[in-house]
Amino acid sequence: MDNKPKNTKPRNPRSNQNKQGGNRGSKKPTSMTGTARTVSRGAAIRAQKRNMEDASKLISQYAPAASKHLEKPARRANKITDVFDKLRITFLGGLEDVGEKNTAVIEYQNDAIVLDCGNNLGVDLPGINYEIADPSYLETIKHKIKGYVVTHGHLDHIGGLKHIVPMFPAPIYGSRFSLGVVEKTFEDMPPNADQFKPKLMVMNMENHERLKIGVFTIELIRITHSIPEASSVCIDTPVGRIIATGDFRLDPEPLDHHPSDIERLKQLGDEGVLLLLTESSYSDSEGRTPTEHTLQQSFHDVIAQSQGRIFCAVFSSNMNRIQMIVNAAVAAGRKVALDGRSMMSYAEIAVRQGILKVPKGTFMAMRDIANIPDEQILVMATGGQGEPNAALQKMSEGTHKYIKLKPGDTVVVSSSPIPGNEVRYDMIGNNLAKLGVHMFRHPTHEIDGCGPLHVSGHARRDEMREMLHIIRPKYVIPVHAGALRRRYHAELAIEEGWKRENALLRNNGDSLYFDADGYQDAGQVPHGSLLVDQTGAIVSGVVVKDRLMLAEEGIVAVILTVDRKNGTLLTSPDIISRGFIHMRDSEELMNEFRTELRRAVQQRFKRIDLDRFKQELKEHVTHFLFEKTGRAPIVIPVVNVIGKNGEKQNNGSGQNQPKNEQKNPQDEAAELQRRYAAMRQKLLNQDSKGV
């Protein structure tokens, strides 16, 4: 029976062609042992190089500042005095995608404030939880930083604070709820990190409190979004006024009865605004975002008519939505359990601050729901977007600690897929359908037989038009949501009467100077990303690149133990394969592989130095495996050289260890056996030895 892998040809058909200019010479390539190959060594090495390039290209999207090519600004005479009285605005994040590490820096002379400091949870890399903005530029101006100002409590606006603020300490300014969430994030610091207690400065939006931060004066203006106490920020500078909308919608009837403070925004606009930073998430959607208030009846209807247990998936920070579900549950005589870490964290803050109002005895612990009838249970859970490890995702996979979904259960998904997350959103819907539960989802609510279950927290084009005319700035910079949606927003401003040269489109890393005469580009500053794992620790991009290559092609380790005196193998070669092929299913290939390794040692070990032998062995193994399988895994050669008296040389050092003159031949043999057994035990797992 042929146990070779079925795929015995290279994936790239051109790699079978011996190109005169593509290899080291014009001769027909041979293996390390001299055996002719049907596939050139150059083709194998190029295949492995392509894998590395693909991984490098992917990881370059999240590269740190040190590896970025920086565009230098045009040279100017009298540079120091030329910019001393200018306002500088720099974007370290937030312009490339929806929910992407919003971070901007505003400077004047020796003062600077950081506007938002978020993370990006949409990073699809092995072992990575999120990314934050690389703080290299902040390091260069750390003596200037006087404060951090946050618009609202979503993680793409505050998730980087716990990493950045301890490096460059300064007070954090924001609304009461926003800073409550910030404080919670600092309780979950990375392992081995020093405990850092941030200085939080709560600002009162109701009385238009204005605070001085260096030369800047800031004010928070209430704005409606999908989280409590979101705000726009007014920043008065010596050069002019900046207003940052933050994420917003102009909802006239929010459930909490706190609509956007349009009157105050108009007053600030009447006084004159130099620059508006305004979000662009739905600049490709005409009309207005419906008011949140319209959803209440939908939840009452669904919850009142459903039998058995009810599970509602909702964004954990949307307290208005959670309040509606609590109201409907209480009216239907159901107890409410919260599931998901972020859900409980946000709810705890909202209840403590009086934002979320829950009748006594309504909430109960997840572990206790098995003790009450199904008709009295409602669970609010995270995971409506199909996020890995979220509560609803675990339920759909049957891995939840307390819940096993069954036919007769009702699942309400109160969300639409976030742009770019459509596949994962559908996957969780498919998983739930297989379990036989009855589903109500917002995208299919008409088919499912209910009213709407979701409205966005972001403005559409009509609201963006309204914001432009409320503020009436001289310059507009669309922010958030990526290049395409920002371009739509800029074109919208031009349609509404703004000059094209005053609707500015910039990228992460760009810096601008403003003064009374206008603006000028200041080039790019050091910028990029730092990757953070599940523990909160920073992970090197090199490590992630290796993970990507391992995920693509796997790894093969070859362990050889060679007699230094005669250059022969003392034992059969040990081979470890991970993520490449299953060795027990490829016995014929493994036997041929070991034969090749024996030939390589016999023919080349005594003729070249150890370092060169290891490099040639690596290339030979890559060549052999590529010819046999069409794949180019990471190859790690381990060569242990046993010298005189059974002493083992350091791997690759070429130097003998001190001799033991007192040992007789029997002791030497026993010592050699013991050392080799210990080495094998260390290097090999029980299931990774050869067939």
Side-chain angles (χ1 to χ4, degrees):
M1 179 177 178
D2 187 0
N3 289 320
K4 289 185 181 180
K6 294 181 180 180
N7 179 18
T8 59
K9 294 182 179 180
R11 288 172 294 175
N12 183 355
R14 292 180 299 172
S15 60
N16 279 322
Q17 301 171 5
N18 293 326
K19 298 181 180 180
Q20 295 292 331
N23 301 307
R24 296 180 179 177
S26 60
K27 295 181 180 180
K28 185 177 181 179
T30 62
S31 74
M32 186 177 177
T33 64
T35 305
R37 297 288 187 205
T38 59
V39 177
S40 72
R41 177 175 294 189
I45 300 302
R46 287 195 297 274
Q48 192 170 67
K49 186 177 179 181
R50 282 194 298 272
N51 294 337
M52 295 179 63
E53 290 174 346
D54 289 345
S56 297
K57 184 177 180 180
L58 181 57
I59 198 66
S60 67
Q61 301 175 47
Y62 310 99
S67 61
K68 296 274 188 177
H69 174 71
L70 302 182
E71 177 186 342
K72 296 182 180 180
R75 297 184 63 182
R76 300 182 300 274
N78 301 321
K79 180 177 179 180
I80 296 178
T81 57
D82 188 23
V83 302
F84 188 70
D85 291 325
K86 294 182 186 292
L87 177 71
R88 183 172 189 171
I89 300 176
T90 303
F91 299 98
L92 299 183
L95 303 186
E96 299 303 326
D97 207 347
V98 176
E100 181 260 328
K101 62 179 192 306
N102 298 281
T103 310
V105 184
I106 300 170
E107 302 171 61
Y108 184 81
Q109 295 182 359
N110 293 317
D111 294 315
I113 58 176
V114 180
L115 178 63
D116 285 333
C117 186
N119 65 20
N120 178 14
L121 290 168
V123 179
D124 187 15
L125 293 173
I128 298 303
N129 194 16
Y130 55 83
E131 64 168 326
I132 62 172
D134 188 309
S136 296
Y137 179 68
L138 297 180
E139 176 68 33
T140 67
I141 62 164
K142 60 184 179 181
H143 60 287
K144 295 184 179 184
I145 299 174
K146 300 300 191 295
Y148 299 80
V149 183
V150 298
T151 57
H152 64 282
H154 279 148
L155 290 175
D156 60 319
H157 290 258
I158 66 165
L161 288 170
K162 71 176 183 180
H163 299 278
I164 303 297
V165 176
M167 290 191 282
F168 317 109
I172 305 172
Y173 298 81
S175 68
R176 182 182 56 157
F177 186 83
S178 298
L179 295 188
V181 179
V182 169
E183 186 176 32
K184 200 75 174 175
T185 66
F186 274 87
E187 295 175 3
D188 187 22
M189 293 294 287
N192 303 320
D194 295 333
Q195 291 300 313
F196 179 86
K197 189 171 180 61
K199 184 177 181 180
L200 305 176
M201 307 294 292
V202 176
M203 297 186 65
N204 190 324
M205 293 186 287
E206 303 305 322
N207 62 6
H208 309 303
E209 179 181 13
R210 294 169 64 82
L211 294 180
K212 195 82 170 173
I213 307 177
V215 297
F216 306 108
T217 301
I218 63 169
E219 177 184 342
L220 304 185
I221 304 98
R222 185 179 296 282
I223 203 79
T224 46
H225 186 37
S226 57
I227 189 172
E229 297 191 349
S231 62
S232 296
V233 180
C234 175
I235 306 168
D236 285 334
T237 79
V239 171
R241 172 170 289 167
I242 301 171
I243 291 181
T245 64
D247 290 355
F248 79 96
R249 68 181 179 207
L250 299 180
D251 188 344
E253 296 181 311
L255 190 72
D256 60 8
H257 306 296
H258 291 297
S260 300
D261 194 346
I262 302 298
E263 290 304 314
R264 181 56 181 162
L265 289 172
K266 285 181 178 178
Q267 291 175 5
L268 295 170
D270 290 343
E271 294 170 5
V273 174
L274 172 68
L275 173 65
L276 175 66
L277 306 176
T278 178
E279 80 129 323
S280 312
S281 298
Y282 282 86
S283 61
D284 54 352
S285 299
E286 285 289 359
R288 302 180 70 91
T289 299
T291 176
E292 179 91 15
H293 192 75
T294 59
L295 304 182
Q296 180 67 86
Q297 191 59 47
S298 297
F299 289 113
H300 274 301
D301 293 342
V302 169
I303 293 172
Q305 69 188 16
S306 296
Q307 304 296 317
R309 300 180 300 179
I310 300 176
F311 300 87
C312 293
V314 60
F315 288 114
S316 57
S317 61
N318 194 329
M319 287 302 120
N320 278 344
R321 193 81 49 86
I322 291 173
Q323 183 70 68
M324 292 181 194
I325 296 171
V326 168
N327 294 344
V330 170
R334 290 181 180 262
K335 300 288 187 179
V336 176
L338 302 181
D339 195 13
R341 185 177 180 183
S342 61
M343 176 78 71
M344 290 185 284
S345 295
Y346 280 114
E348 177 189 346
I349 297 166
V351 170
R352 189 170 64 241
Q353 295 182 0
I355 294 171
L356 181 62
K357 298 174 175 60
V358 183
K360 187 175 181 179
T362 299
F363 278 164
M364 64 181 303
M366 281 293 298
R367 63 178 177 271
D368 296 331
I369 64 173
N371 300 324
I372 65 173
D374 288 357
E375 292 75 18
Q376 297 177 18
I377 297 172
L378 185 145
V379 176
M380 269 191 286
T382 58
Q385 294 292 321
E387 305 96 313
N389 298 318
L392 187 62
Q393 181 70 21
K394 290 181 179 179
M395 294 178 196
S396 73
E397 295 171 345
T399 59
H400 194 277
K401 184 176 181 180
Y402 299 111
I403 299 295
K404 185 175 180 61
L405 293 174
K406 60 188 179 182
D409 289 337
T410 295
V411 176
V412 180
V413 182
S414 179
S415 65
S416 292
I418 294 171
N421 197 50
E422 291 81 4
V423 172
R424 190 174 290 278
Y425 186 90
D426 281 346
M427 283 175 61
I428 194 170
N430 287 328
N431 290 343
L432 292 169
K434 290 176 183 178
L435 295 173
V437 302
H438 188 62
M439 279 189 291
F440 294 94
R441 304 189 313 156
H442 176 70
T444 55
H445 70 271
E446 294 175 338
I447 300 173
D448 298 335
C450 68
L453 297 169
H454 174 71
V455 295
S456 172
H458 300 273
R460 295 183 181 177
R461 288 173 69 87
D462 282 354
E463 294 156 281
M464 293 175 180
R465 290 186 180 94
E466 185 175 345
M467 181 63 77
L468 287 168
H469 290 291
I470 288 171
I471 303 300
R472 304 182 303 284
K474 181 176 181 180
Y475 298 100
V476 177
I477 299 182
V479 295
H480 314 338
L484 178 60
R485 291 183 178 89
R486 289 188 291 110
R487 180 167 295 280
Y488 282 135
H489 202 165
E491 294 296 332
L492 177 66
I494 294 167
E495 291 173 12
E496 295 301 308
W498 271 259
K499 297 179 181 178
R500 182 170 293 275
E501 59 268 26
N502 288 1
L504 310 179
L505 292 170
R506 293 297 182 267
N507 299 307
N508 286 346
D510 284 352
S511 192
L512 297 168
Y513 288 120
F514 288 88
D515 61 15
D517 297 325
Y519 78 92
Q520 64 185 110
D521 286 318
Q524 287 212 321
V525 304
H527 68 287
S529 301
L530 298 182
L531 300 172
V532 184
D533 66 15
Q534 296 286 348
T535 70
I538 303 297
V539 181
S540 167
V542 175
V543 173
V544 180
K545 184 171 76 170
D546 287 345
R547 292 176 184 173
L548 290 168
M549 293 181 64
L550 288 169
E552 180 67 22
E553 296 285 3
I555 183 173
V556 171
V558 175
I559 305 168
L560 305 177
T561 302
V562 185
D563 188 312
R564 180 174 179 269
K565 183 177 180 179
N566 55 31
T568 59
L569 285 172
L570 293 173
T571 65
S572 176
D574 283 303
I575 301 168
I576 301 173
S577 172
R578 290 288 182 270
F580 174 55
I581 58 173
H582 188 240
M583 293 168 58
R584 296 187 185 276
D585 294 337
S586 307
E587 183 176 354
E588 184 177 341
L589 175 61
M590 289 299 101
N591 289 336
E592 188 177 353
F593 191 8
R594 285 192 175 85
T595 299
E596 286 293 311
L597 292 171
R598 291 188 186 97
R599 289 175 182 167
V601 173
Q602 183 180 9
Q603 294 186 12
R604 297 295 288 166
F605 178 76
K606 293 285 287 182
R607 301 179 183 179
I608 55 179
D609 63 66
L610 184 56
D611 287 339
R612 183 177 173 187
F613 174 76
K614 289 173 62 181
Q615 180 59 36
E616 288 193 10
L617 180 66
K618 181 178 179 180
E619 293 180 2
H620 175 59
V621 171
T622 300
H623 185 193
F624 174 83
L625 294 177
F626 185 70
E627 181 183 46
K628 297 297 182 181
T629 69
R631 296 170 59 190
I634 295 175
V635 175
I636 300 178
V638 179
V639 182
N640 295 294
V641 183
I642 304 299
K644 188 177 179 181
N645 297 325
E647 293 293 340
K648 185 179 74 172
Q649 289 182 306
N650 293 329
N651 187 10
S653 69
Q655 300 296 323
N656 288 332
Q657 295 180 351
K659 300 176 181 178
N660 186 347
E661 300 290 349
Q662 302 302 318
K663 291 184 178 180
N664 58 40
Q666 292 80 8
D667 292 338
E668 291 176 1
E671 177 68 10
L672 174 59
Q673 182 106 12
R674 185 190 66 78
R675 287 176 179 272
Y676 183 67
M679 178 190 68
R680 285 173 63 92
Q681 185 66 28
K682 182 178 180 181
L683 292 174
L684 300 174
N685 294 324
Q686 288 296 324
D687 63 343
S688 64
K689 296 181 181 179
V691 296

